[in-house]
Amino acid sequence: MTTPLQVTTARLRIPVTERDHVRGPLDAPVTIVEYGDFQCRFCGAAYPNLTEVLRQRADTVRLAYRHFPITNVHPYAESAAETAEAAAARGRFWEMYDWLYQHQDQLDPVHLSLGVEQIGLSPEEIAGEVGRQEYADRVRQDFVGGIRSGVNGTPTLFVNDVRHDGGYDLAELLAVVDAATDDG
C-alpha cells in the first residue's frame, strides 16, 4: 500500500493587523509580509526590490514588516530591531527601516546612534529605551509569530498569506504580485 504524497503550503499564521508596520494602501489587494533581519545581507538585497515593487504597484501592494533577528549569526540584529521599534513609537518606523537597510554595515552602537540622529530622533532617548529593552517583547512576538508560520531564515516573504518560496529579484516579485492580483 502506498501513501499519497501530501504537499502543504506554508501559510501566515498571524494575520496582519493595525499593530503591524505597513507601507502602502491598507486596502491593497496584495499584502506582502516580510520577516526580516536588519543585519542579514539577503534581506539587504531584497530591500531595494521590495521598495521598487511598492513603487511600481503603488495601488495594489502593501508591505508589512515583522522582525526576525537571527542573533546567533547577526550580533546587532536585535538592537537594530528594537531601535526600529523605538522609532516606531515616535511615528518614524519606515525612516529607521530605510536607514537600517541602507547602512547594514553600520549597525554597531556608535553608527546606529548616528543613524537615529540622522532621521531626527534623540540618540540618547532611543539608546536608553533599547538599553532597557523596552521593545524586546514586541520583537520577540514577531519572531515567535514567524516561527509559528514556518519562518526559518530571512528574508521570508508571504504573499497574501502564502509563503513565497522563490527568489526576491524584482522581476520575480513583480510576477508573484501580478499573479496574486489576478487571483484576487
Side-chain angles (χ1 to χ4, degrees), residues 29-30 160 177-184:
V30 178
N160 286 353
V177 163
D178 292 344
T181 303
D182 293 342
D183 291 344

Side-chain angles (χ1 to χ4, degrees), residues 113 116 122-132:
S113 177
V116 166
S122 166
E124 294 78 19
E125 281 181 33
I126 302 284
E129 291 172 7
V130 170
R132 291 187 298 276

Side-chain angles (χ1 to χ4, degrees), residues 42-54 97 101 168 170 173:
F42 301 108
C43 294
Y47 164 76
N49 297 332
L50 288 166
T51 301
E52 186 61 17
V53 167
L54 287 173
Y97 165 93
Y101 277 127
Y168 42 83
L170 180 59
L173 290 175

Side-chain angles (χ1 to χ4, degrees), residues 30-46:
V30 178
T31 298
I32 299 172
V33 175
E34 174 188 6
Y35 280 91
D37 173 325
F38 289 115
Q39 201 175 357
C40 166
R41 65 186 176 99
F42 301 108
C43 294

Side-chain angles (χ1 to χ4, degrees), residues 5-148:
L5 179 64
Q6 183 176 5
V7 177
T8 57
T9 303
R11 298 194 64 80
L12 187 67
R13 301 283 180 224
I14 310 297
V16 175
T17 67
E18 65 280 345
R19 175 188 171 281
D20 284 289
H21 304 293
V22 176
R23 192 179 243 180
L26 295 179
D27 62 348
V30 178
T31 298
I32 299 172
V33 175
E34 174 188 6
Y35 280 91
D37 173 325
F38 289 115
Q39 201 175 357
C40 166
R41 65 186 176 99
F42 301 108
C43 294
Y47 164 76
N49 297 332
L50 288 166
T51 301
E52 186 61 17
V53 167
L54 287 173
R55 189 189 73 74
Q56 289 190 29
R57 303 292 188 270
D59 297 332
T60 57
V61 177
R62 69 179 177 155
L63 173 67
Y65 184 83
R66 293 180 177 169
H67 304 286
F68 202 83
I70 303 174
T71 56
N72 61 329
V73 179
H74 303 129
Y76 299 125
E78 193 157 0
S79 62
E82 289 182 37
T83 299
E85 285 304 316
R90 295 157 173 83
R92 306 296 290 277
F93 175 81
W94 290 107
E95 293 93 327
M96 195 76 244
Y97 165 93
D98 289 335
W99 190 93
L100 290 165
Y101 277 127
Q102 291 165 5
H103 299 86
Q104 269 195 315
D105 60 339
Q106 301 172 352
L107 300 184
D108 60 274
V110 171
H111 286 98
L112 195 55
S113 177
L114 293 171
V116 166
E117 191 171 29
Q118 286 174 7
I119 69 162
L121 298 176
S122 166
E124 294 78 19
E125 281 181 33
I126 302 284
E129 291 172 7
V130 170
R132 291 187 298 276
Q133 295 189 313
E134 289 184 24
Y135 305 99
D137 282 348
R138 166 61 194 264
V139 172
R140 198 169 299 113
Q141 287 170 5
D142 279 359
F143 189 89
V144 169
I147 295 290
R148 289 184 54 205

